[in-house]
Every structure is written in structure tokens, then in C-alpha cells.
């Protein structure tokens, strides 16, 4: 319990505390914990006693610190007075002047911030590696996480890791400069006092190096010193130079060597992946080694290593993501591999730009009984009723995103959805559908979010059926689902006549529409007005409409009268701005 009369704090006269002196001592820290850092500094300006007292009882506010160029000089004495060894997390944000960054770090150390556990340098520059190493050696005994994001300097990786013996998480992301090709980094900057012998880094469990490091010269010497590594993320799609195919092997990790040096790996986000930096901080630190659980690759190099790891890990793998950069051009047949595996624990399956046929997809999915999320982007796949009937019901699947499907042989979307009775989120694009939606089924009861883009109707159907297909589609969803959110774009024969059908979905709360010029002209005004009127009976509170031209005035007036729509935004693509006459925001009612 805190004692306001503690002589060690220099508080011998309780009258100096003002009204705080009338409160129980243990209540004061509780009150101050509701302040943010700006409020805390403001309170310190009240009087000298509060200047001295508040930092003693508000240490919990200052465990995390974010500094930028405005704090480079540390001219604010109140701020420096609040710091000490209770500061655990520090972020230096966008310090373009390298000297300012080192000045800040030295000041932090001088003010007692010697037990920092998390340090992030975001958009900073550290060309002088000796000054950086000097700071890191002082923080090293306590530093466990180091992030260098959008970093503008090459760094001495081995020396930095050696300076922080307790480091468990290390992330380095080079700054992305689209104006020129940075090329492969094959040399570290020199340091004045290099360490003659650098041993292993047993404490490092998570490593993210999003830079084009030469594998042999720079990357391998790091990986071979991390025997307890659990998670490794390589060069991302955003950072890599995907135009130069010859450089790919120079910065792609060797999977065989990687597992030889790091046998405890459970997560690999291989080179050229679309998955970004947040993933490395989301991996667990379980003590028990359970085998490879997450594998993301976006290249076809070291095919034998990938196949071997998939085969060995088919009983433990939970996430599998493959996104080849050179779409459809690789001779590496993923279909042949996956149809031989039994992925009993796989939950996330993400395959993009890979050749599949309908039978292969069904065969693969039947080998993944625990699948929860599925993302497929293949060449156009033809699905027929016979093939779909072979697909076992996937009751665990709640997210499905499928591009490029052609429904043939009378197969309907309803028949496909019956195989996914627990589906909650459906995303489909580049589909060719028959305009029939039978009612003799009970599917889509759990569906909450629907995204349809670039949908066409099969030519076998007659013209009238194709014209009315969008209306029948949404009338069917209104009868058989409880959708809360819909996003629509590029649906063939979608017109203002379709909109009232969407309004019949009573559970809908969020609606996003992209209308072309023909769908919002004066000839469509009556249907648009009918749609706006029908929204009175819906639960929609958030609506976004993207149009090529202005909506008719009667429809706009009616939309703006709907007070239950809290957020209405209308964007004119032709003029490239939001329409102030159409867009509005209503304050939420007190009820």
C-alpha cells in the first residue's frame, strides 16, 4: 500500500497534496490509472507538489512509450520526470535524422529506462552501426523483442543479435522504395569493433526478415545459429523484386537446411508470401513441440524440400497457403502432391493461381475433414452435379472464397452450398451460374456475409431467366439465410429492379453496392425510389453506394430521410469523390 506520508518520497506535509490528502492512500494510484499520458503531464503542471507526486503514483501509465521527432530534444521536463525503469515498451517513430534517434535512446538510458523489453524502430535510419550496437548492448540484458520496420539502413544482423542475448522476437523489414530496385543485399555494414566469435542465439524463437538478403552470405549464417526457432518469415511479396526471376533463388530459404538447423519450427512463412508482418507476433510460444503447423510458400523452388515437409507434417499441419508468383507457369504439380496427403488437422487452406480441375478439388477437400477456412483461386473450374455429389459435407467450414467457377450440367449454387451447412462467410468472383434457385433445401442458415463480384449466367438458360436471375437470387437468400452484410459488384443483368429484392432480406445491416451508369440513370429512377422506400422496413444501418453518375434526386431524398441508416456514403467514380448531397451520417439514437 502506498503511504502519502512516506519520507522517502519527500512528502512530509500532507497539506501540499490538496484534496488528494483526504483520500485513502491506495485510491490515488487507482484514480491516476484512468489518465492518459497527456492528461498526466497536464496534471503535473498544476503545482510543484503534483509535479513531484504524480510520477510516483502513475508509473502504470508510462510502461509504454511512443516517441517521434517532436520529442527529439526532450525539452519537456515533465515527460522525462515520468520515466524510469518501469518503462518496458518503447517505439521510436519516423525519426529521419539519425542523430535524433541515438540522442533519444541515450536520454532514455540516462533517465533510468534500462529495463526495456520491447523496442521498435519504425521508419528510422541507423547507418552508424557502432552507435546502434552501443545502445543495444546496454539494453541487451532485458530486451526480448526488437522490431525494425520500414528500415532505411542495412544492418549488421549477427552483431545486433549477439548484443541482445535474451532476444526472443526479431523483426527486420527493409523500406520499400518503388522508385528503384534495391537489389539483393549481400554484404553487412562494417563495425569498428567486430566480435571475433559469434555463437548461437538459443533464445530466439521468432524471426522475421523481410528483406532481399543473400541466402548464402547473410541469411544462412543467421538461421544456423537459431536452434530453438519456432517461427520464420522470409521476404514478402511487397519487398521482393518479382520482375527479376533470376534473383529468386538468391534470397529464398533452403527448406532442407532450415529444418536441419531449426528442428523445432512450427510456422514457416516462406519467401514471396502475401502474408505480412503481423503474423509473426501471433504465433504461440508453446513449450511442447508438435511438428510443423503452418506453412506458407509462394515459390516453386526446392520442390523436394516442400514435398518432404508436407508429407512429414500431414498429421500436424493446420494452415497451408500456396501463392505462386508466376501464375500457372510452374511445372510443379500441387494437385499430384495434395491428392496423396491426408491432412486431418488442416483448418486453413489457401491456394491461389494454381491449376485444378473439379475432381481434384473434391478429392483434396475430402482429405481435409477439419477445414474451417477455404480460399481457392484457380484457372476456371467446371463443376457438375456428379462431381459435387462426391464432396463430403464440410460441417466445420465457415469461410469460403472461390474464384473462377463455371457451373455446368444443371448444377446450381444451392446444390454446392448444401455441402457447406455451417458456412458463415461466402466470397465468390468470376462465376458462371445457372439462374435457378430451388427451394427444396435447408442450406445457408448460418450465412452472415456475402460478397459477389463479376457473376455471369449460363447461356443455356433463356433470356428472360437470365434477366430475372439477380432478383430470384436475392429473394432466395431472403427466404433461406440470415445475411447481415452484402457486397455486390459486376453482376450480369443487375439493375435497379434487383434492389427491392435485396431489401426483402430483413436481417441485412451492411450493404455495399457498385452501380454502373445504366443502373442509376433517370430511366431507373422509379426502381431506385422504390428501393429507397423499401429500406424503411430493413435493419440496414451502414450503406455504401459507388456509382458512375449521380443518383436521381427522389431516391437521394428518400435515402437521406432514413434515420436508421447511421452511415450513408455515395461515391462518384466518374468525378472521383464522395457526393456531399448524397452522403450523410446520423447520430445513433439513445435507444
Amino acid at each position: 500500500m502506498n503511504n502519502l506520508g512516506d519520507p522517502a518520497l519527500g512528502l512530509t506535509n500532507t497539506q501540499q497534496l490538496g484534496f488528494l490528502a483526504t483520500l485513502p492512500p491506495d485510491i490515488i494510484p487507482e484514480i491516476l490509472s484512468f489518465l492518459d499520458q497527456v492528461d498526466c503531464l497536464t496534471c503535473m503542471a498544476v503545482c510543484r507538489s503534483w509535479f513531484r507526486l504524480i510520477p510516483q503514483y502513475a508509473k502504470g501509465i508510462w510502461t509504454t512509450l511512443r516517441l517521434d521527432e517532436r520529442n527529439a530534444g526532450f525539452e519537456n521536463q515533465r515527460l522525462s520526470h515520468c520515466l524510469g525503469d518501469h518503462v518496458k515498451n518503447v517505439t521510436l517513430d519516423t525519426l529521419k535524422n539519425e542523430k535524433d534517434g541515438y540522442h533519444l535512446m541515450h536520454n532514455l538510458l540516462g533517465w533510468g529506462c534500462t529495463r526495456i523489453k520491447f523496442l521498435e524502430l519504425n521508419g528510422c535510419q541507423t547507418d552508424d552501426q557502432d552507435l546502434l550496437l552501443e545502445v543495444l548492448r546496454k539494453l541487451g540484458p532485458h530486451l526480448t523483442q526488437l522490431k525494425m520496420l520500414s528500415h532505411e539502413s542495412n544492418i549488421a544482423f549477427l552483431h545486433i543479435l549477439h548484443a541482445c542475448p535474451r532476444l526472443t522476437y526479431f523483426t527486420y523489414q527493409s523500406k520499400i522504395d518503388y522508385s528503384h530496385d534495391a537489389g539483393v543485399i549481400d554484404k553487412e555494414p562494417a563495425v569498428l569493433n567486430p566480435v571475433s566469435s559469434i555463437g548461437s542465439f538459443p533464445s530466439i524463437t521468432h524471426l522475421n526478415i523481410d528483406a532481399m538478403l543473400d541466402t548464402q552470405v547473410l541469411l544462412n549464417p543467421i538461421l544456423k545459429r537459431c536452434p530453438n526457432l519456432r517461427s520464420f518469415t522470409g521476404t514478402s511479396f511487397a519487398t521482393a523484386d518479382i520482375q527479376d526471376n533470376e534473383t529468386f533463388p538468391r534470397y529464398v530459404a533452403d527448406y532442407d537446411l532450415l529444418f536441419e538447423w531449426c528442428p523445432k519450427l512450427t510456422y514457416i512463412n516462406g519467401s514471396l508470401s502475401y502474408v505480412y508482418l503481423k503474423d509473426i507476433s501471433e504465433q504461440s510460444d508453446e513449450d511442447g513441440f508438435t511438428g510443423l503447423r503452418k506453412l506458407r510458400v509462394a515459390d516453386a523452388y526446392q520442390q523436394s524440400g516442400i514435398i518432404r515437409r508436407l508429407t512429414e507434417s500431414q498429421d500436424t499441419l493446420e494452415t497451408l497457403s500456396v501463392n505462386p508468383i508466376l501464375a500457372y507457369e510452374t511445372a510443379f504439380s500441387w494437385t499430384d502432391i495434395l491428392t496423396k496427403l491426408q491432412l486431418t488437422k488442416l483448418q486453413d487452406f489457401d491456394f491461389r493461381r494454381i491449376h485444378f480441375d473439379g475432381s481434384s478439388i473434391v478429392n483434396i477437400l475430402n482429405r481435409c475433414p477439419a477445414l474451417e477456412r477455404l480460399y481457392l483461386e484457380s484457372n476456371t473450374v467446371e463443376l457438375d452435379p456428379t462431381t459435387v455429389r462426391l464432396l463430403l459435407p464440410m460441417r466445420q467450414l465457415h469461410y469460403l472464397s472461390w474464384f473462377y467457377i463455371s457451373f455446368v450440367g444443371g448444377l446450381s449454387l444451392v446444390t454446392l452450398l448444401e455441402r457447406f451447412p455451417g458456412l458463415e462467410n461466402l466470397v465468390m468472383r468470376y462465376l458462371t451460374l445457372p439462374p435457378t434457385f430451388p427451394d427444396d433445401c435447408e442450406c445457408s442458415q448460418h450465412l452472415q456475409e456475402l460478397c459477389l463480384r463479376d457473376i455471369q449466367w449460363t447461356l443455356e438458360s433463356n433470356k428472360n431467366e437470365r434477366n430475372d436471375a439477380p432478383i430470384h437470387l436475392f429473394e432466395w437468400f431472403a427466404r433461406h439465410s440470415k445475411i447481415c452484410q452484402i457486397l455486390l459488384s459486376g453482376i450480369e443483368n443487375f439493375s435497379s429492379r434487383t434492389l427491392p429484392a435485396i431489401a426483402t432480406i430483413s436481417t441485412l445491416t451492411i450493404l455495399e453496392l457498385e452501380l454502373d451508369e445504366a443502373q442509376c440513370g433517370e430511366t431507373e429512377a422509379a426502381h431506385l425510389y422504390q428501393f429507397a422506400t423499401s429500406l424503411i422496413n430493413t435493419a440496414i444501418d451502414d450503406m455504401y453506394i459507388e456509382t458512375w453518375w449521380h443518383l436521381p434526386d427522389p431516391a437521394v431524398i428518400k435515402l437521406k430521410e432514413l434515420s436508421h441508416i447511421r452511415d450513408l456514403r455515395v461515391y462518384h467514380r466518374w468525378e472521383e469523390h464522395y457526393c456531399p448531397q448524397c452522403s450523410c451520417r446520423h447520430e445513433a439514437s439513445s435507444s
Side-chain angles (χ1 to χ4, degrees):
M1 179 181 295
N2 293 311
N3 186 350
L4 294 181
D6 189 346
L9 297 178
L11 303 175
T12 57
N13 186 355
T14 57
Q15 296 301 318
Q16 294 180 344
L17 303 176
F19 75 91
L20 291 178
T22 63
L23 301 175
D26 55 344
I27 296 297
I28 296 177
E30 185 71 20
I31 294 175
L32 295 180
S33 68
F34 288 96
L35 300 177
D36 60 24
Q37 293 179 350
V38 174
D39 292 335
C40 181
L41 295 176
T42 301
C43 290
M44 289 174 64
V46 170
C47 63
R48 292 182 180 179
S49 297
W50 281 31
F51 177 86
R52 183 175 64 250
L53 169 69
I54 287 180
Q56 301 290 338
Y57 290 93
K59 291 183 178 180
I61 302 174
W62 296 97
T63 56
T64 297
L65 190 62
R66 191 177 193 93
L67 302 172
D68 54 30
E69 292 179 341
R70 295 171 297 177
N71 313 112
F74 259 107
E75 298 175 357
N76 191 325
Q77 294 184 359
R78 282 173 283 161
L79 176 61
S80 61
H81 196 58
C82 293
L83 307 181
D85 61 7
H86 53 279
V87 177
K88 304 300 181 185
N89 309 301
V90 174
T91 297
L92 303 185
D93 192 10
T94 319
L95 294 172
K96 299 300 182 182
N97 189 321
E98 184 176 1
K99 293 182 179 179
D100 288 342
Y102 292 129
H103 180 66
L104 274 175
M105 288 189 280
H106 279 291
N107 278 341
L108 288 173
L109 291 169
W111 283 311
C113 303
T114 57
R115 294 179 176 271
I116 297 172
K117 292 184 176 181
F118 172 91
L119 176 62
E120 177 178 327
L121 306 179
N122 186 13
C124 297
Q125 189 171 339
T126 56
D127 291 337
D128 193 328
Q129 293 294 283
D130 293 291
L131 290 178
L132 176 63
L133 289 170
E134 180 184 348
V135 172
L136 292 179
R137 290 187 184 108
K138 293 178 180 179
L139 296 175
H142 301 282
L143 196 64
T144 59
Q145 296 189 46
L146 176 60
K147 284 188 174 184
M148 309 175 80
L149 305 180
S150 192
H151 208 67
E152 298 192 9
S153 306
N154 186 14
I155 62 172
F157 288 93
L158 292 178
H159 284 80
I160 287 175
L161 297 177
H162 178 74
C164 308
R166 297 189 60 188
L167 207 62
T168 57
Y169 285 70
F170 176 71
T171 296
Y172 175 85
Q173 179 200 39
S174 61
K175 182 179 180 181
I176 301 172
D177 187 353
Y178 295 105
S179 63
H180 70 282
D181 176 18
V184 178
I185 303 172
D186 57 8
K187 185 178 181 181
E188 287 190 351
V191 296
L192 292 178
N193 299 304
V195 179
S196 57
S197 177
I198 296 179
S200 64
F201 310 127
S203 64
I204 293 182
T205 57
H206 295 69
L207 190 65
N208 184 339
I209 300 182
D210 188 6
M212 294 170 60
L213 296 190
D214 187 286
T215 302
Q216 298 297 327
V217 178
L218 296 180
L219 185 58
N220 283 351
I222 299 172
L223 294 173
K224 70 193 308 182
R225 288 175 166 85
C226 301
N228 297 316
L229 196 64
R230 300 291 187 91
S231 171
F232 170 69
T233 298
T235 311
S236 72
F237 173 78
T239 304
D241 177 15
I242 64 172
Q243 304 301 322
D244 187 357
N245 300 347
E246 295 181 358
T247 64
F248 284 176
R250 291 189 58 190
Y251 54 86
V252 173
D254 187 308
Y255 292 104
D256 288 331
L257 290 178
L258 182 60
F259 274 89
E260 178 183 338
W261 295 327
C262 314
K264 297 183 179 180
L265 273 170
T266 62
Y267 175 84
I268 297 178
N269 185 9
S271 297
L272 308 184
S273 174
Y274 289 87
V275 183
Y276 297 104
L277 296 173
K278 64 178 182 179
D279 290 276
I280 195 171
S281 61
E282 293 174 353
Q283 309 311 312
S284 63
D285 281 319
E286 298 178 4
D287 293 331
F289 172 61
T290 58
L292 185 63
R293 294 164 48 199
K294 303 182 189 232
L295 175 63
R296 303 180 188 271
V297 292
D299 55 79
Y301 295 105
Q302 295 119 42
Q303 300 174 7
S304 60
I306 295 175
I307 296 172
R308 185 157 43 252
R309 298 310 158 193
L310 281 173
T311 304
E312 294 174 353
S313 307
Q314 57 183 314
D315 294 330
T316 61
L317 205 61
E318 298 173 0
T319 297
L320 178 59
S321 174
V322 179
N323 301 301
I325 297 302
L326 303 177
Y328 312 121
E329 295 181 6
T330 176
F332 191 30
S333 176
W334 287 101
T335 301
D336 292 343
I337 299 169
L338 295 172
T339 52
K340 298 175 183 176
L341 300 178
Q342 194 71 28
L343 301 169
T344 57
K345 293 186 178 181
L346 193 68
Q347 299 173 9
D348 295 282
F349 191 20
D350 184 345
F351 265 57
R352 312 188 191 194
R353 306 191 297 176
I354 296 174
H355 279 295
F356 282 118
D357 57 47
S359 298
S360 298
I361 290 176
V362 169
N363 189 356
I364 293 169
L365 294 182
N366 285 340
R367 293 170 175 269
C368 308
L371 204 60
E372 297 179 2
R373 288 167 292 274
L374 174 62
Y375 189 116
L376 284 177
E377 180 184 332
S378 177
N379 55 305
T380 300
V381 176
E382 291 189 350
L383 291 179
D384 58 68
T386 302
T387 301
V388 171
R389 277 194 291 268
L390 297 175
L391 178 62
L392 301 175
M394 306 190 71
R395 305 188 185 281
Q396 305 285 347
L397 193 77
H398 59 77
Y399 177 89
L400 173 62
S401 179
W402 203 339
F403 290 12
Y404 300 103
I405 314 175
S406 181
F407 289 66
V408 298
L411 176 68
S412 71
L413 175 63
V414 176
T415 306
L416 178 63
L417 293 181
E418 284 181 318
R419 317 313 288 174
F420 313 117
L423 197 64
E424 298 175 1
N425 192 322
L426 176 63
V427 179
M428 305 194 98
R429 189 169 189 179
Y430 304 119
L431 268 66
T432 302
L433 292 174
T436 54
F437 307 96
D439 275 324
D440 56 343
C441 69
E442 289 297 331
C443 63
S444 303
Q445 292 297 312
H446 300 280
L447 192 63
Q448 297 180 15
E449 298 183 21
L450 175 67
C451 175
L452 297 178
R453 291 180 179 272
D454 304 301
I455 309 299
Q456 294 183 330
W457 310 105
T458 53
L459 296 177
E460 290 81 0
S461 54
N462 62 55
K463 183 177 180 181
N464 290 334
E465 286 179 333
R466 292 199 301 272
N467 288 339
D468 294 336
I471 298 175
H472 297 322
L473 172 66
F474 294 108
E475 289 177 344
W476 183 89
F477 276 119
R479 294 191 299 271
H480 295 280
S481 70
K482 298 178 181 179
I483 294 178
C484 300
Q485 181 173 345
I486 289 181
L487 189 155
L488 304 173
S489 173
I491 299 179
E492 184 183 19
N493 296 331
F494 185 95
S495 69
S496 59
R497 295 173 55 244
T498 311
L499 296 175
I502 297 175
T504 63
I505 303 175
S506 60
T507 54
L508 192 61
T509 58
I510 300 175
L511 178 61
E512 298 185 28
L513 299 171
E514 295 182 13
L515 305 176
D516 60 31
E517 186 175 358
Q519 296 163 358
C520 55
E522 292 300 328
T523 58
E524 305 290 316
H527 296 299
L528 288 168
Y529 182 81
Q530 180 186 354
F531 169 62
T533 303
S534 62
L535 291 177
I536 295 175
N537 300 318
T538 69
I540 296 176
D541 61 7
D542 188 333
M543 181 182 294
Y544 171 82
I545 302 177
E546 185 172 310
T547 74
W548 275 103
W549 204 242
H550 297 274
L551 293 176
D553 290 340
V556 171
I557 294 172
K558 179 56 66 175
L559 285 173
K560 296 185 71 172
E561 289 177 353
L562 301 175
S563 59
H564 66 283
I565 300 182
R566 295 183 295 106
D567 195 351
L568 172 63
R569 290 151 294 148
V570 179
Y571 183 79
H572 293 157
R573 295 175 65 183
W574 184 263
E575 299 176 350
E576 296 186 350
H577 69 80
Y578 285 96
C579 174
Q581 287 75 31
C582 304
S583 304
C584 64
R585 283 180 170 82
H586 297 288
E587 295 295 332
S589 63
S590 58
S591 61

